[in-house]
Amino acid sequence: MPITTAVFDAYGTLFDVNAAAMQAAKDPAHADLAAVWPALARDWRRKQLEYSWLRAVADRHCDFWQVTQDGLDWALEAHGLTDPATRTRLLELYWELAPYPEVPAMLRTLRARGIATAILSNGSPDMLQVAVNSAQIGDLLDALVSVEDVGVFKPHARVYDLIGGHFGCAKDEVLFVSSNGWDAAGAAGYGFQTAWVNRAGEPVDRLYAKPHHLLSDLTTIPELL
Amino acid sequence: MPITTAVFDAYGTLFDVNAAAMQAAKDPAHADLAAVWPALARDWRRKQLEYSWLRAVADRHCDFWQVTQDGLDWALEAHGLTDPATRTRLLELYWELAPYPEVPAMLRTLRARGIATAILSNGSPDMLQVAVNSAQIGDLLDALVSVEDVGVFKPHARVYDLIGGHFGCAKDEVLFVSSNGWDAAGAAGYGFQTAWVNRAGEPVDRLYAKPHHLLSDLTTIPELL
């Protein structure tokens, strides 16, 4: 079946989740971040994801803004960072993460070819709207689809079901793109065509399905259609 | 309600999950491990747990021996370790992990006080039986309870339900002990009394419930009763 719909994960895929800590660390007001920001960003992201999975397993959903704050609080404590202004600044910056540079042109190419485009994200609707506005890519996306519509995080099948519900398309008409190996595997197991954007050069996750395409960034997405 | 039943997580709590990589690294036949074994052990454990959670979220259960191998395969590739003999040896050692030194005396004290004792673990029944035999603590445990009886990993409520099903006890008669902060939090959210054995001095996980007791090892468990 030819691809009619390109669906993108948001955090880590279109938006650089490390950008908040990197940017805050450049500010002399947050000198506490200078030495530790890469490790802090890594632990923040790790705990944010762990909490999303654990809440999904235990049926204890809350929105992604809550787990984003919870993950940061764990990471700040782990690195001995106690300045409340640093916490506030990191959370502010999470609402306006930089998109990867190739994102606008890639989305424009897809749209010019008549492909429907969407985000499917753990992020709450307000987080996604602000991020897309900040990145000025709102007019290149047909839909911002949030897990809040089903009240559980990825990789639960109810999340991936949202795309068929919104676009009325078959699973194998969808190209799902994520830089999170577990999300690409989850979508592949669900039945989407999938591309894993492996920016960090990590091994393929040993899960119940494997992504169909491995890419190093988003520039070659239009070639997959 | 007084505690009648002490339930222990196995991997990381009674048994040292880092012992396999540490022990293999001492063998000149596995010199490839010498420099990297602590990082390998950490990544093996991290991926093993991530895969257990992701499979629970996506309803794609397999047994813990499979995710143990899958996590190791990811970690070996991440650290560039390609010797099949190293993989084989690490997996062999995982079946006979050393117990923490305080375990036998602590269990003996509980039993002498008339407290029922059990393991509740992600591990498969055969993994648990071999580990307990190897550690010579089988006669100090009333039950080895595996998630395989419900076909989903922790922290799903169906797993914690197994204890009431086996012992016929109320939730608040159970002291659940884990060195995994997320497991202690999960059990606390379920309704058990809980102790988190925080050997590594990590921050408390920001989840939907908090453990009732924080310990640095297992020696003081009898004082909680």
Side-chain angles (χ1 to χ4, degrees):
Chain A
M1 191 78 100
I3 300 295
T4 61
T5 311
V7 178
F8 297 86
D9 172 57
Y11 296 102
T13 302
L14 298 180
F15 306 112
D16 181 358
V17 288
N18 294 321
M22 183 171 59
Q23 191 175 333
K26 288 179 186 162
D27 183 345
H30 305 297
D32 51 345
L33 289 175
V36 301
W37 77 262
L40 180 84
R42 184 196 61 216
D43 289 341
W44 180 7
R45 176 64 170 167
R46 178 169 64 89
K47 282 291 170 177
Q48 178 196 46
L49 290 175
E50 285 186 10
Y51 293 165
S52 75
W53 301 327
L54 289 162
R55 285 179 171 276
V57 176
D59 198 15
R60 293 279 198 147
H61 188 70
C62 66
D63 76 16
F64 200 59
W65 182 235
Q66 183 64 51
V67 296
T68 299
Q69 294 175 81
D70 290 342
L72 178 58
D73 286 336
W74 189 97
L76 289 171
E77 185 180 338
H79 292 280
L81 301 179
T82 56
D83 183 351
T86 295
R87 179 185 190 275
T88 300
R89 183 64 183 141
L90 288 168
L91 290 174
E92 276 173 7
L93 288 168
Y94 206 88
W95 286 78
E96 47 190 59
L97 294 171
Y100 287 103
E102 69 271 26
V103 166
M106 180 273 299
L107 291 175
R108 228 172 268 122
T109 301
L110 296 180
R111 295 279 292 245
R113 294 205 197 162
I115 303 292
T117 59
I119 281 175
L120 177 64
S121 169
N122 276 340
S124 58
D126 51 345
M127 290 175 77
L128 295 178
Q129 190 62 60
V130 173
V132 159
N133 290 351
S134 167
Q136 299 183 292
I137 56 173
D139 59 339
L140 301 175
L141 290 160
D142 293 300
L144 307 182
V145 183
S146 164
V147 301
E148 288 308 304
D149 286 350
V150 287
V152 70
F153 290 116
K154 295 178 182 176
H156 199 291
R158 289 209 311 271
V159 174
Y160 302 119
D161 281 341
L162 286 168
I163 294 301
H166 187 92
F167 289 100
C169 55
K171 289 178 181 182
D172 61 357
E173 289 178 67
V174 173
L175 177 68
F176 182 83
V177 182
S178 181
S179 66
N180 298 293
W182 57 271
D183 186 18
Y190 174 77
F192 289 155
Q193 296 290 308
T194 54
W196 177 33
V197 183
N198 184 14
R199 293 186 192 270
E202 296 205 322
V204 175
D205 271 312
R206 271 67 172 182
L207 281 164
Y208 41 89
K210 298 231 181 304
H212 302 79
H213 306 283
L214 303 188
L215 308 174
S216 55
D217 62 39
L218 295 164
T219 51
T220 55
I221 290 290
E223 299 171 17
L224 302 179
L225 306 179
Chain B
M1 190 78 95
I3 300 296
T4 61
T5 310
V7 178
F8 297 85
D9 172 57
Y11 296 102
T13 301
L14 298 182
F15 306 113
D16 181 358
V17 289
N18 294 322
M22 184 172 60
Q23 191 175 333
K26 288 178 186 162
D27 183 343
H30 305 297
D32 51 345
L33 289 174
V36 302
W37 77 261
L40 179 84
R42 183 196 62 217
D43 288 342
W44 181 7
R45 176 66 171 166
R46 178 168 64 87
K47 281 292 170 177
Q48 179 196 46
L49 290 175
E50 285 185 13
Y51 293 165
S52 75
W53 300 327
L54 289 162
R55 284 179 173 275
V57 176
D59 197 14
R60 293 278 197 148
H61 186 70
C62 65
D63 76 16
F64 201 57
W65 182 236
Q66 183 64 51
V67 296
T68 299
Q69 295 176 79
D70 290 343
L72 177 59
D73 286 335
W74 189 98
L76 288 171
E77 184 180 338
H79 291 280
L81 300 179
T82 56
D83 183 350
T86 295
R87 179 185 191 274
T88 300
R89 184 64 183 140
L90 288 168
L91 290 174
E92 276 173 5
L93 288 167
Y94 206 87
W95 286 78
E96 46 190 61
L97 295 170
Y100 287 102
E102 70 271 26
V103 166
M106 179 273 299
L107 291 175
R108 229 172 267 125
T109 302
L110 295 180
R111 294 278 293 245
R113 294 205 198 161
I115 303 292
T117 58
I119 282 175
L120 178 64
S121 169
N122 276 341
S124 59
D126 51 345
M127 289 174 78
L128 296 179
Q129 191 61 60
V130 173
V132 159
N133 290 350
S134 167
Q136 299 182 291
I137 56 173
D139 59 339
L140 301 174
L141 290 159
D142 293 301
L144 308 183
V145 184
S146 164
V147 302
E148 287 308 304
D149 286 351
V150 287
V152 70
F153 291 115
K154 295 176 180 178
H156 199 290
R158 288 209 312 270
V159 174
Y160 301 119
D161 281 341
L162 287 168
I163 294 301
H166 186 92
F167 288 100
C169 56
K171 290 179 182 181
D172 60 359
E173 290 177 66
V174 173
L175 177 67
F176 182 84
V177 182
S178 181
S179 66
N180 297 294
W182 58 271
D183 186 18
Y190 175 78
F192 289 154
Q193 296 291 309
T194 55
W196 177 35
V197 183
N198 184 14
R199 293 186 191 269
E202 295 206 322
V204 175
D205 271 312
R206 271 65 173 182
L207 281 164
Y208 42 89
K210 297 230 183 302
H212 302 81
H213 307 283
L214 302 188
L215 308 175
S216 55
D217 61 41
L218 294 164
T219 52
T220 55
I221 290 292
E223 298 171 19
L224 303 179
L225 305 180

